Amino acid sequence: MRILRVLAPNPGIRELEGTNTWIVGDGPSIAIDPGPDDAGHLREVAREAGHLAAILLTHDHPDHAPGAAALAVATGAPVYAARPPEGAKRLTDGQRIVVGDVVLTAIATPGHTLDHIAYFDERHRSLFTGDSVLGRGTSVIDPPEGDLTSYLRSLRRMRELSPSVIYPGHGPVVLDAPGKLEEYVQHRAAREEQVLAALASGVRTPEEIVPAIYGDHPADLHPLAARSVLAHLLKLENEGRAERRTTAGAVRWTLLEPRTCVRCGRPVKGRGLLCGPCSLAVLQESG
């Protein structure tokens, strides 16, 4: 099966060398992530695609999706997305896109964005990951749309697919897909431990935490790193392991001591005395 990359001319901190537009199949073909609305890039995509039968979006970020409308007009191909722009068709988790001998399954992978979709070719064990997995470096999880809990769940789901090769939204092809996915899971676990250690040492804001754990990264990456740290803090807050307090307009974070339910001994989120099941049981008993 033919898989061809057309690199968009939009290099940057997040985009690396640029957005990878993937052309899958050969007469008819599929284009994944047309990228920005750049006339020269879209002409090259249309030329390389030949008979383009479908345009798929992994998510609606401006480095991946804007070119879809113009490419659809130029080729007549329909656009598919989980959060479809005007005129596009909605994709759902598990939906199959069949074009010639190419069969791709849409895999909901929220975390980088709420609408993120990966595409899996089961026959060839190929996974098109958009921004959920990059060819180099790690994906930015930027709240509020970026959600680390969802992202970790998506990484585990992609790992369960047992892909062989990853075709990412940015960066080079990943030939060891299982190794890369495990690396991503372990990286996030290590970052969480670093965030916990920073909080334990008295550091209280994402901006203060960044130098402690991203000291080997260029300073121009620190604002993005602070967003990823915030994603970790929000996850810890949701798990009842950290909390935020606002003092004089400034938000500061602190660790919470682990608490257990006074009734059953299960872990309790936040400062409550009862876990969820016991709270429900007490309500039912009192009713």
Side-chain angles (χ1 to χ4, degrees):
M1 180 178 68
R2 183 181 74 139
I3 300 177
L4 176 69
R5 181 181 77 160
V6 180
L7 182 64
N10 61 335
I13 292 176
R14 295 187 187 220
E15 297 82 6
L16 303 179
E17 295 86 359
T19 300
N20 295 331
T21 298
W22 295 107
I23 296 171
V24 187
D26 188 7
S29 64
I30 294 171
I32 300 174
D33 284 345
D37 189 3
D38 180 273
H41 174 65
L42 296 177
R43 280 196 299 270
E44 185 178 359
V45 170
R47 182 173 60 251
E48 295 290 355
H51 175 201
L52 186 62
I55 301 166
L56 309 183
L57 301 181
T58 59
H59 61 301
D60 67 358
H61 274 179
D63 56 330
H64 287 258
L71 186 61
V73 170
T75 63
V79 179
Y80 296 85
R83 187 157 54 194
E86 184 177 355
K89 299 183 179 183
R90 184 177 301 278
L91 268 179
T92 57
D93 183 37
Q95 183 175 338
R96 297 201 314 164
I97 301 93
V98 181
V99 170
D101 61 353
V102 178
V103 181
L104 297 179
T105 302
I107 308 295
T109 50
H112 178 69
T113 61
L114 292 172
D115 68 321
H116 202 285
I117 292 280
Y119 297 97
F120 185 50
D121 173 9
E122 185 174 6
R123 183 172 56 162
H124 298 94
R125 318 307 300 175
S126 301
L127 185 62
F128 299 85
T129 56
D131 279 0
S132 57
V133 179
L134 307 182
R136 185 175 68 255
T138 56
S139 180
V140 174
I141 308 301
D142 188 359
E145 185 169 28
D147 181 85
L148 187 55
T149 299
S150 297
Y151 181 66
L152 291 172
R153 190 179 303 119
S154 293
L155 287 178
R156 290 191 290 269
R157 185 178 185 193
M158 287 186 285
R159 188 169 57 181
E160 290 168 359
L161 295 172
S162 299
S164 297
V165 181
I166 285 173
Y167 296 90
H170 305 279
V173 173
V174 177
L175 299 178
D176 179 13
K180 176 62 74 172
L181 289 166
E182 182 62 24
E183 172 193 323
Y184 264 47
V185 171
Q186 294 303 320
H187 169 78
R188 294 294 173 177
R191 278 284 184 252
E192 181 171 291
E193 290 302 315
Q194 290 175 316
V195 170
L196 289 168
L199 289 176
S201 73
V203 180
R204 294 290 177 253
T205 70
E207 292 73 20
E208 293 171 348
I209 292 172
V210 165
I213 65 178
Y214 289 91
D216 58 342
H217 287 62
D220 58 352
L221 292 179
H222 285 192
L224 288 179
R227 303 303 297 172
S228 286
V229 168
L230 177 59
H232 278 280
L233 291 169
L234 292 170
K235 173 180 177 290
L236 293 170
E237 180 184 48
N238 185 56
E239 295 169 349
R241 301 162 66 192
E243 70 172 0
R244 52 182 150 174
R245 298 177 181 176
T246 303
T247 305
V251 177
R252 301 183 68 78
W253 292 81
T254 58
L255 282 177
L256 287 178
E257 291 296 325
R259 298 173 64 87
T260 56
C261 176
V262 297
R263 178 168 169 156
C264 72
R266 293 190 186 97
V268 173
K269 290 185 178 181
R271 297 186 178 278
L273 297 177
L274 298 173
C275 66
C278 286
S279 295
L280 180 59
V282 168
L283 286 173
Q284 292 172 337
E285 291 166 4
S286 62

